[in-house]
Structures are given as structure tokens and as C-alpha cells.
Amino acid sequence: MDVPLREAPYRFTGGIEVNANKDESTADRIRHTPIPGQIILPLRQHSGNAATPLVSIGEQVLKGQLLAAAHGSVSANIHAPTSGMIVAISDYPVPHPSNLSDTCIRLIPDGMDMWIERPVTERDYKNLDNQTIIEIIRKHGIVGLGGAVFPTEIKLKNSQDNRISANQKNLPDLHTVVINGAECEPYISCDDKLMQEYADDLLEGIGIVLQITGAERCMFAIENNKPEALRFVKQALREYNDARIELYSLPSLYPQGGEKQLIQSLTGKEISPNGLPLDLGYLMLNVGTIKAIRDAVIDDMPLISRVVTVTGDGIKFPQNVMAMLGTPVSELIEFCGGYKDKQQLHQLIMGGSLMGISLHSDAVPVVKAMNCVLVSTRKNTQPKQALACIRCGECAQVCPAGLLPQQLYWYSQAKNYHEAQRFNLADCIECGACDYVCPSHIPLVQYFRHAKSEIRQRDEQIRLAEQAKMRFEKREQRLEKIATQRAERLAAKKARTQKLASKDSSAIDEIMQRVKQRKSSNTDRNNSGDAN
Amino acid sequence: MHFPTQSSPFIRPKNTVTKMMLHVLLALVPALIAYVWYFGWGIVINLGIATITALLCEFLALRLQNKPGLPALGDLSVVVTAILIAFCLPPLTAWYVTVIAVAFAVLLAKHVYGGLGYNIFNPAMAGYVVVLISFPQELTVWLPPRGVDLGLDSVSFGQTLSYVLSGSLPTPASLDAVTSATPLDLLKTDLGEMRTMSEIKTHPIFGSQGAHGWEWINNYIAIGGIYLMFMKVIRWHIPVAVLASLAVMAGMFNMFDPDHYAKAGFHIFSGAAILCAFFIATDPVTAATSNMGRIIYGIGIGVLIYVIRNWGGYPDAVAFAVLLMNMCVPLIDYYFKPRVYGHGKSKTKKAKS
């Protein structure tokens, strides 16, 4: 059966053509890095809470052993990438924009790379029910490897809940799974390589997801600057022979791989602000995630390694490597021939050159979110001095969210956050396309990030003030209540004394009489007592 | 190893203001050559005076504000302003008129508002309007284009320079003998004298579409403008809106009364309409920013050009039309915003296949 290669029928708004710089790292096959000298596993590698460590210092662990358990509703398990001894559970620099340290489990490998006992390899998932498969995915710590690192199990569970709640909320049933193989960021090629070398595995993974979700359709989308990936997937699809899986080629236009942009390119539909593809009946997964799902379900393998693109003009031999999570970045770079010219190095970036984060040290470990290590030289990334905005509007032409970045910049700079919000600052996806085309070299995204954080802070302050005000008002009410009660008591007392004063003698007589009566009754009782 | 940290993106921007301005200057070169061919060396002298004045004024303004000379001087925006003014002034403009126009443009229209990016009014047009109002006599010293025989020899470079600097021509030529009205000027006066279009068109100054000489200069300006669109220095919205609305206005009135209203082609090709559409109205700083806003802004300019040319006091109306629409830009920007992704109705375009 021939597999048709479809063109994406729509086009997302805006976008830029950037020099992809992917050829540097795609010459060789994915190479496995050796077991590193030490392994550093941050407890928080996913969105949500940090995992809780289950091992103690000095403990001997095996490859694939659960080291830290998911904690709370949005969290993921962490497993040992190789066998060895736990030497520390302490703070260590992690790859994060804040450059702060975080709790990590440190493991010294013993070099044996000995697996924990695995119940099965080559499991036939077709006989398993959905709950069991989702449980396997949860157990193996699978998170979205496209960048958001959201626990996959929750995404799949939500899509199941969606089936139940869809009718109530008037939302469509989940009907289509979208596989994101766009990889539009410059320099990154790990998904490209994965699709070339593991196309069969990916189709198996898609089969699993289609079974769990019950979707009738799968759109596998790849940018057309990856002809090899398209070819391999097409070939694998010919053998796999599943009519539900459709292969789409996308124009290579950044940020094509953004969730919202990809949905727009494939379907022409837009996700509402704060919405999910699920609202329209779509579930999107990155190719890396699909591979991880497949390995977990079929080979019972937890997420302990991933493909990382090590590239940039500061690296001697740019390439894609399969690295154990927790491998220090410095060892990855060493494996790729090391730095080219230390004097010229400028930046160490995790991710691509448009949305990546710059790391302050190469001692940080590989984490689940690390798709690319990019070392760039001064020549390539030297920031230029920002000039005044000339209102050319190029930023608005390329904005995939349809915003007016220049107006947002204006308001952000003036700290007029109210207007910035009115111009939909919250809808900025921080893709950096506006920065790239700005002839005045204004760091627009930086301004937007700052404004967003200011707005968050301000909202938080407003919330706190609101709370304080409520507390104050409650207290006032309470005090007032106490005061009125007191006043009432006083008034009652006063009334009694007044009554006493006004009734004068008659009142006194009354009291005297009462006293007399009591006395007499007392004597009666006493007398009767005596009689007994 | 340790690295400095910074916020993404880490990619070098592809464009610079200087590059954009260089493209604008480059785009004007063919028109300049045609200009010299038809009207002599006056434009070159004006260009020199204007550019020097502009750079000096810019430097002075930066000095007064304690700002460094670079990169503001290096962005070449002030040179573009100077050159646009030179293109608008007659070839025999006295030097002080040029200096005043440029100085006003740079010092008052641009720097008083805060410099590049902050000015509300197009500096070139503001400067031009000031001298247009202040020196009405001096601004009519146009030469007849080459090929139009008004009974005199062409004016040499030396003669031009001497006139620009001293205000007199070497004997025996006198000013009245060499100057001529611009086609729009002529049209206005002759219409005022109750002549019909067909009578007026017999004057040698008129060419096939617009005016002799002017047509070709305008063609070259248009070629430069298309080059700018191709280089994405400007977008199509403003030029198309200006020219289309001017053509529609002219076409409508010409259809209604061809004896008293010139054809659309004449309006487009004989004045500064094309220069305005591609080089003046597209000044990003003072134009509207959204695509829809730009179309509205362009239409406003086109309609105003026609209205002022026909019923206003000046033969050519480009400068006034641009300045008037500059005033409306904040309002246009306020009301014409692009639709944000996910908000309101979706109108996704089908991909070209």
C-alpha cells in the first residue's frame, strides 16, 4: 500500500524563516555516550512537584530502580540510569533559568550497568486494558519531551476523562492524536534523528496511544526540511500499514512546532486562550514522548536516557547522542570532542537559539527536558546595542499570536501594565520571532517576560491586599459585634438600675418581701429538718 | 566551565535600521539620475547642502541632550530625511531655504519630540511645509525639464551653484527666463482661468501620462519603491492604498467632468504622489502600524492629496496630506489592531498549494 504524504492544508499566522543550522549535527547516527563518572538526578525534572527520594546515602542501586517517587498530582517518578551507589542527596546546580541549585540524588556508577529485574520485554500491549497501560506509563516516569515536561500519564488520563465529560461541557470527543515532529528551532535535530532511526518504534508508540485514547485518526507532522525523517517514517508506515496514521509535511517556518501553531497549520482551528488542544478534540505528543511511551509499555523501560543534540560553532564534533539522564553536560561535550576555542566561547544554551535558556555552568546534568546543548561563540550571539523603536511593525508581521509587540514594548517600558494586558500580553508565547526581525535590536521578549512577571507579582499583591482587607473587615465586624453586645449589656444593666431607681420604695419593698420569703422558707426547711 | 547568562533569543537579528535606511537611499539612486538628466545639477547641490545641514543638526541635537553621536548618526535616518527634502525642493532653491527646511525637520520636528522613533510628524514633510509657507516665491523656481523648449539653453552646474549660493544668475540669463511652473501649478492656474483640460494639455510641459520628465522620474521612483517592497523594507499596504485611493478619486471626478478634472494617470505621474506613496508615507515612525491601519492611513493620504490639489490653496498637497494623516495615526492605531490568536472569530488562511 502506498502511503500518501499530505501537505499541511493551512498556514499559521506570522512566523519567520531562520537559518536552521541543523546539518552540522545530522551527519552521524545517534551515538550512545559511555557511562559517566557520576550521575546527578534533580528531583524536579518535570512540571509540578519535586519527587520524593526513596533511597538513602550509601545504598547500592540497580539500573531502572525507582529512586524517587512522584509527589502530588503533577509529578513524575525518577529512576536510576545505571547501577551504582548513592553518594549524596543534596543541592546541586541544575539547568534552570534561575541558575539556582536544587535537590539532586547523586550516584557513582559501578560500571556494571546492571538492570533491575524486569518482568517482561516485548510485552504485547494489545491485551492490556487502558488503565494498566496508563499505570505503566506513570510508573516509568514518562513526561513530555517536547519541552513542557508535563507528566504524560496525566495528559492521557485527561484525554480519557474528556470522553466522559465531553458531552457535559459541550466539547468534542477526542478524535485525533497529533504527533509533533516539526522541530522548528534552529540547531536542534534530536527529533529528526529519532524519526530517522526509530521510525518503527514511533509507529508502535502511536499504536499504543491510539489504543488508549480511542482516537480514530493520527496526524504525524514533520517539517519539510527533514526529508530523511519523512522518508523513513513513510517507509515504516508502508510496512506498519495502519490507515489511521496520516503523514503530513509542514513548511519549515518557525515556530511551526508550537502546539497552537501546529494545530492551526493542520486544522485551521485555533485553541482559545488558556485552552488546550483537547478542547477541540486533539491530543498532541512529541515524537520523543512517543518513543518513551513505546519503550515503557513494550520493553518495560523507564525514562532513563534521551537523545540530546550537542551542537553549535563552539563544539568540535556536533552530533546527536543518546545520553543517560544525569550525565554532566561537560562530559557530553567532552564526548563530542570538547570545546573548539575556549577564548571565543560565549554562551552555553539548553534548547535552541530562539527559546532556549542560557546555562551558567557545564557542570549541570542532562535532564528530561534537555533536547539540545548549544555552545555558541561570541561571533554568533553577541548582543547588539538596542536602538529606538522605529515602529516599522515587522514584529507584528511575524508574531504567530497576532500581537503588536511594538505596542506591548511601549507599554511594558512605561510600566503601563494595564494597557499591556489590554493588548493581550498574556497571549505572547515568547517565541522570539519579533526579536529576530527587530531592526533596532530591542530585546522585546525580555521586556515581555519582565512585564508578565511584574503583572503576576502585582496580581499576587492585589490578592494579598484583598485578603488583608477581608481579614481587617472581619475583625472590624467582630469588634463591632463585641462592642454592640457590650453596649447592649450595659444598656440592660442601666435599664435595670433605672427601673430600680424609678420604682423606688415599691421596688425595695418588693425585694424586701422576696428576701423575707426566702428567709422564712429557709427556716421552715431547717425546722422540718430538725423534726426529722 | 562557566558562562555568562542571558535571556533568549540568542540569535543575531538579521536586520538593522542602518541597513533599512541604506536600502531607501539605494532605491532613490535611479530616480536621482533621471532627475539630474531632466532638471540639471540643482538637485545634487540641494542634496549636498541638505545632507551636511542634517548631519550637523543631528550632531548638535544629540550634543544638547548629552547623547553619544553614534549610533544615532550612523543609523542614516537623518540622511534619508535630508534627501527626501532635497527631492521635494525645486532645483534652484536658495541655500538658506534648504538649510531652514532641514534644520526645522531635524531639530524641531524630530528631536524636540525625542529623536528617532518618537516624532509624531514626518520630519521631511514638516520641514518642507515650513519653507513652503515661509518662502512661497523661492519654491516656485522650477526649471523646465530637458526636452521642453522654452527658448533657453540648459543651465550649467556652475550657473546652478552660483544661483543657489548667491541668488543671481550670471548674465545674460535672468531668473524669470529660466524658471517654469510645475505641471500641477500650471493646471491649477489655467483651470482658474476657465481653460478646459484639453486646452491645458497642449502645453509642452505635459507628457503622455503626467508631465514631461516627471513621468520618467516617477517611474524610477516607483521602481525604487518596488525594490523596497521586495526587500521588505516597506510593505505594500501604504503605497497601494495611497495610489489606489488617489486614482479612484481622480477617476471618479474625471468621469463626471473630464473638462475640469485631470485623469487619474496625470494625478499619479505629475506630482510627488509616487514619491509620497513609496518613500514619504511609508516612514514607519509616523505611519500606522497594523496592516489594516496602514491601509486606512494610506487611503486618508490619497483622498487628502486629491482634495487639496483640487480645492485647496496649494498645487501639490502631498506634504499637507501626510502631516494631517500623521495626526490621525494614534487614533488609527487604537482602533485597528490585528486579531489575536484564539480571540474572536478564526479566519485562518488556506495555505497556498
Side-chain angles (χ1 to χ4, degrees), chain A residues 9 99 260 268 270 347 353 356 358 360 362 379 381 387 389 391-392 394 397 401 406 423 427 439 441 446 449, chain B residues 1 3-8 10 12 15 17 71 117 235 285 287 289 291 294 333 337 339 341-343 348 351:
Chain A
N99 279 336
K260 294 179 164 184
E270 292 180 16
Q347 214 114 45
S353 51
S358 75
H360 77 300
D362 60 7
K379 190 176 92 226
T381 44
L387 303 174
C389 168
R391 294 169 37 94
C392 65
E394 280 305 301
Q397 304 286 348
Q406 123 205 342
F423 276 77
D427 288 282
H441 309 141
Q446 263 183 63
R449 284 201 188 112
Chain B
M1 237 191 105
F3 294 85
T5 54
Q6 183 194 318
S7 179
S8 65
F10 307 100
R12 237 218 253 246
N15 209 352
V17 176
R235 299 267 168 174
V285 178
T289 55
N291 290 343
R294 283 171 174 171
D333 276 349
K337 286 187 286 184
R339 194 185 59 84
Y341 178 103
H343 291 262
T348 304

Side-chain angles (χ1 to χ4, degrees), chain B residues 99-166:
Chain B
V99 168
I100 289 172
V102 173
F104 184 89
V106 176
L107 293 177
L108 289 167
K110 185 176 173 187
H111 276 286
V112 163
Y113 287 99
L116 182 67
Y118 297 94
N119 48 310
I120 300 165
F121 295 106
N122 187 312
M125 289 304 98
Y128 174 69
V129 159
V130 164
V131 292
L132 185 64
I133 297 169
S134 315
F135 305 95
Q137 185 67 44
E138 279 81 348
L139 286 207
T140 56
V141 285
W142 285 93
L143 291 169
R146 174 194 292 259
V148 175
D149 187 16
L150 291 182
L152 55 101
D153 296 328
S154 63
V155 185
S156 73
F157 183 79
Q159 284 174 315
T160 314
L161 187 66
S162 143
Y163 182 76
V164 168
L165 294 179
S166 68

Side-chain angles (χ1 to χ4, degrees), chain A residues 243-504:
Chain A
R244 292 176 299 175
I245 305 173
E246 297 164 6
L247 187 57
Y248 280 88
S249 106
L250 307 159
S252 44
L253 190 67
Y254 177 85
Q256 185 69 265
E259 190 170 68
K260 294 179 164 184
Q261 281 63 47
L262 188 52
I263 290 278
Q264 199 178 15
S265 291
L266 290 174
T267 70
K269 292 176 188 156
E270 292 180 16
I271 305 160
S272 63
N274 307 321
L276 290 171
L278 209 51
D279 301 343
L280 301 173
Y282 295 89
L283 175 75
M284 192 182 292
L285 292 163
N286 171 270
V287 285
T289 319
I290 290 288
K291 170 84 165 69
I293 290 175
R294 184 251 162 229
D295 289 348
V297 175
I298 293 178
D299 287 343
D300 207 19
M301 212 156 82
L303 182 55
I304 51 172
S305 59
R306 70 157 298 153
V307 187
V308 184
T309 308
V310 184
T311 185
D313 50 2
I315 292 281
K316 255 195 201 130
F317 304 116
Q319 58 187 293
N320 278 283
V321 296
M322 180 69 89
M324 287 179 181
L325 298 179
T327 309
V329 167
S330 54
E331 292 200 25
L332 279 195
I333 289 168
E334 215 44 58
F335 180 74
C336 298
Y339 297 112
K340 223 187 235 169
D341 179 1
K342 287 206 175 186
Q343 301 306 311
Q344 285 297 311
L345 296 184
H346 187 53
Q347 214 114 45
L348 176 68
I349 299 152
M350 164 167 130
S353 51
L354 279 152
M355 286 185 86
I357 57 170
S358 75
L359 304 174
H360 77 300
S361 157
D362 60 7
V364 299
V366 172
V367 289
K368 290 176 184 178
M370 191 179 282
N371 49 6
C372 178
V373 172
L374 174 57
V375 181
S376 69
T377 61
R378 207 163 300 257
K379 190 176 92 226
N380 225 354
T381 44
Q382 189 142 42
K384 289 197 172 175
Q385 196 187 353
L387 303 174
C389 168
I390 57 164
R391 294 169 37 94
C392 65
E394 280 305 301
C395 46
Q397 304 286 348
V398 302
C399 180
L403 301 169
L404 287 172
Q406 123 205 342
Q407 299 294 87
L408 290 174
Y409 157 68
W410 194 263
Y411 293 126
S412 303
Q413 202 189 23
K415 301 201 187 306
N416 188 346
Y417 299 129
H418 177 75
E419 278 298 297
Q421 278 175 302
R422 209 177 65 83
F423 276 77
N424 304 96
L425 174 66
D427 288 282
C428 169
I429 58 169
E430 300 179 20
C431 68
C434 50
D435 265 43
Y436 178 64
V437 296
C438 179
S440 296
H441 309 141
I442 300 166
L444 292 160
V445 177
Q446 263 183 63
Y447 275 100
F448 302 155
R449 284 201 188 112
H450 181 76
K452 278 185 183 172
S453 73
E454 289 280 310
I455 289 169
R456 262 199 304 277
Q457 228 168 58
R458 195 195 57 186
D459 289 350
E460 179 65 12
Q461 264 166 10
I462 290 173
R463 201 181 59 80
L464 287 177
E466 216 40 55
Q467 246 175 26
K469 195 178 154 202
M470 226 153 72
R471 270 204 303 273
F472 175 76
E473 277 169 359
K474 281 224 172 106
R475 180 169 176 270
E476 287 288 284
Q477 277 174 7
R478 215 164 50 234
L479 290 180
E480 208 175 313
K481 203 171 149 194
I482 293 170
T484 46
Q485 278 173 351
R486 213 170 124 147
E488 273 167 20
R489 267 205 315 276
L490 278 173
K493 202 174 167 187
K494 209 169 169 185
R496 272 208 305 279
T497 44
Q498 261 174 7
K499 201 172 151 195
L500 224 64
S502 67
K503 286 190 179 168
D504 208 8

Side-chain angles (χ1 to χ4, degrees), chain A residues 119-133:
Chain A
V120 272
T121 47
E122 290 286 325
R123 178 157 40 203
D124 185 12
Y125 68 90
K126 287 189 173 123
N127 298 327
L128 299 177
D129 67 277
N130 292 346
Q131 290 318 314
T132 317
I133 297 178

